[in-house]
Amino acid sequence: MQDVVQWLKDNGDLKVIDEPLDVELEIPHIAYIEVKTDESRPILFTKPINKRLDIVYDMPVLMNIFANKALTEKIFAKHPDKVAEGIDKLLKLKPPSGFIEKLKMIPELFALKNVFPKRSKVRGECQQVVIPKAEVDLDKLPILKTWEEDGGAFITMGQVYTKSLDGGMQNLGMYRLQQYDKNHLGMHWQIHKDASHFFDQYQKAGKKMPVTIAIGGDPLYIWCGQAPMPHGMFEMLLYGFVRGKKAQLVKSITNDIYIPKDVDIVIEGFVDPLKMEIEGPFGDHTGYYTLKEPYPVMEIETITMKDKPVFQATVVGKPPLEDKYMGWATERIFLPMLKPMAPDLIDYYMPENGVFHNLILGKMKTLYKGHAQQFMHAFWGVGQMSFVKHAIFVNEDAPELSDDLAITEYILNRLDPKKILITQGIIDALDHTANETLVGGKLGVDATSSEVKEGVKTLLDDKTLLNKMQMLDEHILELKQYFTHTKNPICVITVNKTESMKNLIERVSILGENIKLLIIVDKKNNDINEPYMLIWRVVNNIDAQRDITLKPFIIIDGTNKSKLDGFTREWPGDTFCTKEILDSLQERKLIDIDEAFIKKFGLLPFEN
Ligand SMILES: Cc1cc2nc3c(=O)[nH]c(=O)nc-3n(C[C@H](O)[C@H](O)[C@H](O)COP(=O)(O)O)c2cc1C
């Protein structure tokens, strides 16, 4: 892919916006809204500006490259399932037993020749312009500030290339990078990630760590950067495998890290292991702000670029977003890699409103008692899958995992408190709910058995049940039951929380005849009629060990936690758009949304 913009014009229905637009909030808000629409398209902003700093940039900003499934598939030049098939074949390669078998293997082995990147000695087109250290100025790049409360501007689609201290391993990871000033960036590689492991090595050796960040080029680099490759495997191998041609790499000018020759912008520098700076806050893909924390800092040695670079960026926040489509490809492609540790796994699905690490559904061929539990532990014990907080396993006879209604019915008909495992494990660094960082509650639901016998003994209509509950607890404001035709209808209530929900739970626990599964959410900023965002909220907001009660029926406390609950960490706020920006974009016909859209996706705080 030589020219991504031209390629997107030809293949991706690229939207081009020529109006001057601010990199602070305006451009990100447009991209954020676009990707939530049914006709989500990539957008090229040809005239980015920064009103506050009075800057007119001389390069365009390209966003939502992974705008939809069709485009994602085109970027791969094949369906992700096809890539998965190729990986599956490789993993199952056996020594050939005869001449014919040997011949049959040739195409597969031939494909492998493309896996290893080609390193070139000459400079690449990404080095057509070289900016020396003294002239480095990050303000010349249209770096976006996405959310009002963000701690600054962040590079959101940076390909971060690093190598181990002994040079034996190279890594590409996608981590956000905060702009501190003209020549310093914050490296948000979380503690579990490969670049952070490398950083540890440099820190222990007391040596500066070389880092090269690339922006742009083939969008597949970006996807490879976020792919959860096993530790020690360079993501460019995966690139070569998917593309069917070797990644073409050139050496950075001021260090010996190799980067793809066709990227648009390259930022080279060193991270001083003695220097840490506060990073964030930043409105993240969980739909919450991640809190301020110290992270390493990179000092820039040089910036190089193409003659006419394009600045690629993405927006994260509440789902659905561009990472939905990147995540879809990842989910498909990594299925065969999960099978060696869980051979009877048929399929898995990470619903976008579970923001990947908060909810996973797995379909399996159940062979023995405890099989689903075995899978839970396997998932929670391997690579980035171990961040998953809530895992539900169903049997091979279950409907398609992505058929939301049918699979929910199937699970609710099999939900049995005795088959629920609540335990503790490693959690994503972004998780805000656990009482301490990095370790928290895990929920595993074994829904592989046959249907449970008993449903709700006396099913009441919403109004009657609400009245009954309100007599028990005055904090309850609204009630809606979902899936009342199943064995475990979901009863959702909203509350005005002024005390720990433990009191409410105790008061309503006499309602075992009317309720089998109760979910509590705050009235504030939740709409009881929007299941998509309710799921997002609940799986985000709970720590299973603290917030799930199994007796006398299942109760899930999805409210925000505070000192009322004995929660001592800071509870972050939601990512909300800025109303004046939305109004102004709407007035200028740059977006076209109504109240229902705003409410559906929680774009603004609710006026409860
Ligand atoms: C849009 C987007 C932004 C991301 N930002 C970060 C980040 O700031 N820090 C981080 O550690 N991981 C981030 N990730 C996840 C990593 O890219 C992902 O875990 C990747 O597999 C890490 O690679 P590594 O295992 O080689 O370190 C992001 C992913 C996406 C899709």
Side-chain angles (χ1 to χ4, degrees), residues 298-312:
M298 169 183 176
E299 182 169 319
I300 300 170
E301 293 292 313
T302 182
I303 295 183
T304 72
M305 53 182 85
K306 283 179 177 166
D307 277 334
K308 286 205 170 106
V310 176
F311 188 85
Q312 292 183 11

Side-chain angles (χ1 to χ4, degrees), residues 17-286:
I17 301 184
D18 290 325
E19 182 162 341
L21 283 165
D22 205 323
V23 290
E24 296 198 353
L25 309 183
E26 283 189 343
I27 288 178
H29 276 37
I30 294 176
Y32 185 64
I33 285 160
E34 174 72 22
V35 81
K36 294 183 185 311
T37 63
D38 294 336
E39 297 83 31
S40 159
R41 293 160 59 186
I43 314 180
L44 184 73
F45 297 91
T46 59
K47 295 197 179 70
I49 56 171
N50 187 317
K51 286 184 205 149
R52 187 176 57 84
L53 300 174
D54 196 21
I55 302 173
V56 175
Y57 299 99
D58 60 3
M59 65 182 80
V61 176
L62 178 59
M63 298 192 68
N64 295 349
I65 309 168
F66 295 87
N68 53 57
K69 271 192 183 172
L71 184 54
T72 304
E73 195 176 324
K74 280 187 192 161
I75 288 171
F76 278 83
K78 57 189 100 157
H79 193 284
D81 281 342
K82 280 268 163 242
V83 182
E85 265 173 38
I87 292 176
D88 195 41
K89 267 193 196 157
L90 272 184
L91 292 172
K92 289 179 181 154
L93 269 189
K94 288 193 190 85
S97 54
F99 183 65
I100 301 287
E101 288 288 310
K102 274 185 191 152
L103 281 182
K104 276 194 198 156
M105 269 179 76
I106 288 174
E108 269 132 55
L109 294 176
F110 197 68
L112 281 183
K113 79 172 188 2
N114 297 316
V115 164
F116 299 100
K118 185 166 187 288
R119 290 179 165 202
S120 165
K121 294 224 160 48
V122 294
R123 285 194 178 178
E125 60 248 46
C126 62
Q127 293 160 329
Q128 280 163 344
V129 177
V130 179
I131 299 166
K133 185 165 182 165
E135 288 163 37
V136 163
D137 182 1
L138 288 169
D139 282 341
K140 297 232 161 81
L141 301 179
I143 304 176
L144 308 180
K145 177 178 172 181
T146 310
W147 304 108
E148 209 174 297
E149 290 168 41
D150 278 357
F154 290 80
I155 295 176
T156 52
M157 263 196 166
Q159 306 156 34
V160 180
Y161 294 85
T162 49
K163 67 181 179 84
S164 58
L165 182 64
D166 66 5
M169 284 189 243
Q170 198 172 337
N171 190 68
L172 159 61
M174 180 176 175
Y175 321 114
R176 69 169 186 250
L177 309 153
Q178 178 166 3
Q179 183 192 349
Y180 290 126
D181 51 32
K182 287 186 186 300
N183 61 345
H184 290 94
L185 288 168
M187 304 282 108
H188 188 256
W189 48 57
Q190 294 151 8
I191 191 162
H192 306 119
K193 305 298 170 71
D194 286 352
S196 174
H197 301 326
F198 292 167
F199 176 70
D200 275 353
Q201 300 171 356
Y202 286 89
Q203 203 173 35
K204 283 193 184 112
K207 288 193 171 159
K208 285 192 177 178
M209 172 178 176
V211 177
T212 298
I213 297 155
I215 298 169
D218 186 340
L220 197 59
Y221 301 141
I222 281 295
W223 178 81
C224 289
Q226 58 81 63
M229 289 288 277
H231 178 64
M233 274 183 86
F234 187 26
E235 285 70 9
M236 282 292 110
L237 303 177
L238 183 60
Y239 174 89
F241 182 78
V242 176
R243 264 285 166 268
K245 68 175 204 235
K246 288 173 187 286
Q248 306 283 321
L249 307 184
V250 290
K251 194 181 110 29
S252 303
I253 291 178
T254 57
N255 64 46
D256 54 4
I257 290 178
Y258 280 75
I259 40 149
K261 68 174 189 184
D262 63 330
V263 292
D264 289 72
I265 300 158
V266 182
I267 304 171
E268 301 177 11
F270 289 88
V271 170
D272 180 344
L274 296 175
K275 208 169 154 198
M276 302 286 258
E277 286 260 350
I278 290 297
E279 201 270 356
F282 176 76
D284 221 311
H285 85 118
T286 54

